[in-house]
């Protein structure tokens, strides 16, 4: 399913959560239609900025998060120039239309038409009373019919306008509700961020966190190394799961490369992480001496046995 | 780590077979990495530097032929988080705000302001001139369509235009976007040539 414009605008304004951002990036890298839509949405956003149609907060985000590269600022300058060129073109067309209308208005009314009205008047006022009376009645009747028809059309138009207004009111109510929800969401996010900030500024750096991804780390010496400084008491390992299959519980066994088991833990549960699901382990830092390790993760199958899932090789260096 | 010509090329090839589209995709990814690093606390270097470092690492892994199991997005995400953890560890203890100058010490008058403004106006005039020239180079059909599209967009009548042209609004917007890109790709060399003159 294609992501909607709202999500794309949030992406461009740097408002999406990491998970949503990741989803969209994966999608547009592989899906041309999605990427085309993103480009069109970007143009609309830039045009809205140039036309001053963005709300105050969106304008601020646009300037703060969107206009961060010279290439993007260039796009805005181009949109301004294009707008000016299009306005000039429109002015030229309008001037031509106005000129044509002025030429038409300056031409005299055809004499034939005046003559025909004069003939009609002469005919009505001619000495033929019965015929003239019938004609007057016919004209009055026609006039009433036209008036009646006009009033009906007018009433219908008023009714249509009333319905349109009603739809606009409903639409604005919906928009207002959406804005309120968005505001509430942002307030919640802000409160959570403030809490997180307060927590991080007071917490002592005794626990270190590492993310282990089997596909990412394999064969790359630099990322395999976990550097543990003195004073660290605990180490949290986030083991990103590469399998889609769900297990009731998981078991992790940590061995040195020479095969000595140094630590194990069972009954582990998968929890949501930024990239899908992951197992979170907390080990005492004392367990990890300077050595090379392999952490093996297995899942408890319905038969009561364990399926081997992934290996996470890493080395530990103490600073 | 440096983004070399070869690693950059490898990354672009991974993003899209069409190099121009790949560059735009990379620009989106880069900008969002900058935004991500801007949100992080306790970083001393510029978010742009971290974004380039992330892209450089990803590009190098791709050139080395590392198998990206899930997708490129996940891969970039993983690298940026590792980078962040590394930077946090390395930079946490360094004094912060060393370069922050209080607002009252900022210069109030820019002696070159008037001159800069004059140059800026001239530059804008040149840009409009190039845009006009490039727009004239469009085929009459494209030019007519784009004019109608802009007019309808300005008036909020894109749905009506789509109905009249018997197409969807999405198709209209994408066609306009491509025409716009065509004009823009002509404006850049035009401005460059004027700069040389």
């Amino acid at each position: 399913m294609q992501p909607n414009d709202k999500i794309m605008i949030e992406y461009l304004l740097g408002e999406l959560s990491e998970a949503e951002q990741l989803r969209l990036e994966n999608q547009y890298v592989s899906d041309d239609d999605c990427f085309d839509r993103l480009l069109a949405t970007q143009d609309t956003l830039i045009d809205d900025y140039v036309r001053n149609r963005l709300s105050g907060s969106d304008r601020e985000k646009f300037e703060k998060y969107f206009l961060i590269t010279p290439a993007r600022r260039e796009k805005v300058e181009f949109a301004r120039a294009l707008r000016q060129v299009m306005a000039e073109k429109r002015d030229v067309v309008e001037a031509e239309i106005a000129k044509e209308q002025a030429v038409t208005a300056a031409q005299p009314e055809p004499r034939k038409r005046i003559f025909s009205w004069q003939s009609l008047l002469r005919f009505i006022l001619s000495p033929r009373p019965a015929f003239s009376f019938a004609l007057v009645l016919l004209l009055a009747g026609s006039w009433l019919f036209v008036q009646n028809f006009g009033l009906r059309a007018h009433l219908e138009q008023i009714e249509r306008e009333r319905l349109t207004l009603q739809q606009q009111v409903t639409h604005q109510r919906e928009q207002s509700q959406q804005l309120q929800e968005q505001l509430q969401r942002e307030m919640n996010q802000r409160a959570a961020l403030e809490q997180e900030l307060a927590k991080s500024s007071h917490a002592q750096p005794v626990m270190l966190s590492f993310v282990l991804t089997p596909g990412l780390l394999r064969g790359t010496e630099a990322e395999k190394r976990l550097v543990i400084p003195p004073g660290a008491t605990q180490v949290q390992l986030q083991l990103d799961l590469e399998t889609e299959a769900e297990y009731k519980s998981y078991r992790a066994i940590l061995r040195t490369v020479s095969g000595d088991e140094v630590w194990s833990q069972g009954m582990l549960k998968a929890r949501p992480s930024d990239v899908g699901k992951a197992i979170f382990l907390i080990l005492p830092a004392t367990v990890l001496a300077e050595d090379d390790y392999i952490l093996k993760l297995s899942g408890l199958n319905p038969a009561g046995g364990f399926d081997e899932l992934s290996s996470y090789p890493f080395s530990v260096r103490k600073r | 780590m440096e983004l070399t010509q070869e690693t950059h090329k490898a990354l672009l090839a991974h993003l899209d077979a069409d190099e121009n589209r790949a560059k735009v995709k990379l620009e989106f990814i880069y900008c969002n990495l900058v935004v991500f690093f801007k949100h992080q606390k306790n970083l001393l270097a510029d978010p742009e530097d971290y974004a380039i470092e992330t892209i450089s690492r990803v590009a190098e892994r791709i050139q080395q032929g590392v198998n990206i199991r899930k997708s490129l997005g996940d891969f970039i995400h993983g690298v940026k988080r590792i980078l962040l953890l590394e930077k946090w560890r390395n930079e946490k203890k360094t004094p912060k705000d060393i370069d922050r100058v209080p607002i009252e010490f900022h210069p109030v008058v820019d002696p070159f302001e008037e001159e800069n403004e004059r140059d800026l106006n001239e530059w804008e005039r040149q840009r409009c001139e190039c845009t006009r020239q490039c727009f004239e180079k469009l085929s009459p059909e494209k030019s007519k369509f784009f004019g109608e599209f802009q007019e309808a967009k300005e008036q909020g009548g894109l749905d009506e235009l789509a109905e009249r042209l018997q197409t969807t609004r999405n198709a209209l917007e994408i066609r306009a976007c491509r025409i716009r890109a065509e004009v823009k790709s002509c404006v850049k060399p035009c401005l460059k040539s004027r700069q040389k003159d």
Side-chain angles (χ1 to χ4, degrees):
Chain A
M1 203 181 89
Q2 285 263 332
N4 61 32
D5 287 3
K6 190 171 169 282
I7 287 184
M8 288 182 171
I9 286 173
E10 285 176 355
Y11 173 73
L12 294 168
L13 294 179
E15 285 181 302
L16 280 191
S17 70
E18 264 188 277
E20 287 171 311
Q21 184 185 321
L22 187 62
R23 202 174 304 131
L24 182 59
E25 279 172 358
N26 282 336
Q27 200 167 348
Y28 75 66
V29 166
S30 56
D31 179 351
D32 279 350
D33 290 342
C34 176
F35 184 59
D36 283 336
R37 187 68 230 152
L38 182 63
L39 291 178
T41 309
Q42 179 181 240
D43 281 352
T44 304
L45 185 67
I46 292 172
D47 284 346
D48 285 348
Y49 174 76
V50 169
R51 291 186 176 99
N52 218 358
R53 282 183 181 170
L54 292 182
S55 69
S57 64
D58 280 354
R59 198 173 174 78
E60 201 180 312
K61 281 175 211 150
F62 186 90
E63 285 166 357
K64 199 170 171 188
Y65 298 120
F66 184 83
L67 293 180
I68 51 177
T69 60
R72 283 184 166 184
R73 289 193 284 275
E74 176 84 24
K75 280 188 181 109
V76 170
E77 293 309 317
F78 170 69
R80 283 206 178 101
L82 188 62
R83 191 185 178 208
Q84 192 176 327
V85 169
M86 296 314 291
E88 284 166 8
K89 287 204 162 293
R90 200 170 49 234
D91 288 348
V92 170
V93 171
E94 278 171 7
E96 275 171 10
I97 291 170
K99 207 170 148 188
E100 262 176 37
Q101 281 174 344
V103 169
T104 315
Q107 280 175 355
E109 286 261 329
R111 286 187 70 83
K112 203 176 160 189
R113 202 170 155 198
I114 297 165
F115 178 75
S116 66
W117 274 107
Q118 285 168 345
S119 316
L120 185 65
L121 272 172
R122 268 204 302 275
F123 181 73
I124 291 167
L125 298 172
S126 67
R128 276 175 288 191
F131 185 75
S132 302
F133 182 65
L135 195 63
V136 167
L137 271 181
L138 184 68
L139 285 172
S142 306
W143 183 78
L144 281 172
F145 176 78
V146 169
Q147 280 288 96
N148 191 18
F149 187 79
L151 280 170
R152 271 173 196 276
H154 188 56
L155 266 174
E156 276 171 11
Q157 193 189 342
I158 288 171
E159 182 60 19
R160 271 199 303 273
E161 281 173 359
R162 192 184 68 79
L163 283 171
T164 313
L165 277 171
Q166 210 170 0
Q167 280 171 351
Q168 280 174 354
V169 168
T170 316
H171 181 63
Q172 280 181 351
R173 270 199 200 128
E174 283 170 0
Q175 273 189 332
S176 156
Q177 200 178 344
Q178 279 174 357
L179 281 172
Q180 273 183 347
E181 284 169 3
Q182 196 182 341
L183 181 67
Q184 188 60 46
R185 227 176 18 246
E186 281 177 359
M187 281 166 72
N188 292 344
Q189 276 179 353
R190 188 187 163 156
L193 280 170
E194 278 173 351
Q195 273 181 2
E196 205 179 309
L197 186 67
K199 225 162 71 185
S200 64
S201 60
H202 290 108
Q204 293 298 313
V206 288
M207 185 159 86
L208 294 166
S209 293
F210 299 97
V211 181
L212 298 179
T213 311
L216 184 63
L217 295 179
R218 190 162 299 153
T220 54
E221 289 301 314
E223 287 94 357
K224 273 202 248 180
R225 186 174 297 168
L226 313 187
V227 180
I228 302 177
T233 54
Q234 288 181 310
V235 175
Q236 178 176 276
L237 297 178
Q238 178 184 328
L239 311 178
D240 284 348
L241 289 174
E242 59 175 357
T243 171
E244 294 296 321
E246 282 271 357
Y247 289 85
K248 201 175 168 188
S249 72
Y250 296 80
R251 186 175 67 181
I253 300 175
L254 181 66
R255 288 192 176 90
T256 60
V257 279
S258 48
D260 298 327
E261 188 177 316
V262 290
W263 182 87
S264 69
Q265 190 175 345
M267 300 300 285
L268 295 162
K269 301 283 180 198
R271 284 197 279 141
S273 74
D274 290 339
V275 290
K277 289 207 163 180
I279 302 291
F280 293 83
L281 305 174
I282 296 177
L283 289 77
T286 48
V287 166
L288 298 167
E290 282 203 348
D291 206 341
D292 296 326
Y293 295 91
I294 297 174
L295 205 155
K296 286 202 169 177
L297 188 71
S298 45
L300 179 66
N301 61 34
F306 281 94
D307 295 339
E308 283 226 345
L309 300 176
S310 306
S311 293
Y312 302 83
F314 64 92
S315 64
V316 170
R317 294 289 173 269
K318 300 257 176 166
R319 207 191 290 159
Chain B
M1 189 173 287
E2 210 180 321
L3 187 63
T4 64
Q5 211 171 353
E6 289 76 33
T7 53
H8 183 234
K9 220 170 165 184
L11 176 60
L12 289 181
H14 208 90
L15 281 168
D16 203 302
D18 177 335
E19 195 179 313
N20 285 330
R21 282 169 76 86
K23 280 180 184 167
V24 183
K25 285 180 184 179
L26 185 57
E27 186 196 314
F28 278 125
I29 290 169
Y30 167 77
C31 289
N32 277 288
L33 282 170
V34 173
V35 172
F36 170 79
F37 285 113
K38 263 193 178 177
H39 281 301
Q40 309 306 322
K41 307 282 173 193
N42 300 332
L43 297 179
L44 279 184
D46 290 334
E48 289 81 2
D49 293 341
Y50 292 114
I52 289 171
E53 174 75 15
T54 307
I55 287 173
S56 305
R57 288 190 188 192
V58 171
E60 186 162 309
R61 296 288 177 275
I62 287 172
Q63 205 209 7
Q64 285 167 353
V66 169
N67 178 22
I68 299 170
R69 291 187 176 194
K70 290 178 184 174
S71 67
L72 186 64
D74 294 283
F75 194 79
I76 292 169
H77 178 77
V79 173
K80 85 179 175 197
R81 290 184 77 86
I82 284 175
L83 183 66
L84 191 64
L85 287 170
E86 281 176 13
K87 299 290 176 189
W88 270 345
R89 278 201 302 272
N90 294 338
E91 295 179 352
K92 217 178 226 173
K93 288 173 188 165
T94 324
K96 290 182 286 183
D97 302 337
I98 199 159
D99 291 325
R100 196 169 291 166
V101 180
I103 191 89
E104 58 268 29
F105 294 116
H106 286 192
V108 180
V109 180
D110 177 359
F112 302 107
E113 194 180 346
E114 205 178 306
E115 201 175 319
N116 289 343
E117 206 168 302
R118 210 167 36 240
D119 288 350
L120 210 65
N121 288 341
E122 175 57 19
W123 189 237
E124 275 172 14
R125 198 185 62 75
Q126 300 268 16
R127 189 191 296 280
C128 274
E129 190 55 44
C130 279
T131 309
R132 202 173 291 118
Q133 270 183 23
C134 291
F135 194 81
E136 296 300 334
K137 284 183 189 166
L138 288 175
S139 70
E141 188 207 359
K142 281 183 183 171
S143 167
K144 182 173 178 272
F145 167 79
F146 197 76
E148 282 183 332
F149 176 83
Q150 286 294 105
E151 185 69 24
K153 196 172 179 182
E154 198 86 39
Q155 310 292 333
L158 280 182
D159 289 325
E160 288 75 12
L161 181 65
E163 202 178 323
R164 185 160 67 75
L165 298 180
Q166 295 182 329
T167 183
T168 61
R169 188 184 165 136
N170 183 46
L172 280 188
E173 286 176 328
I174 287 170
R175 189 173 174 209
C177 180
R178 286 185 179 151
I179 294 174
R180 190 177 167 130
E182 190 179 329
V183 178
K184 191 171 182 293
S185 68
C186 157
V187 169
K188 213 174 174 181
C190 170
L191 280 172
K192 257 189 188 167
S193 71
R194 279 166 184 252
Q195 215 171 6
K196 275 181 201 162
D197 301 341

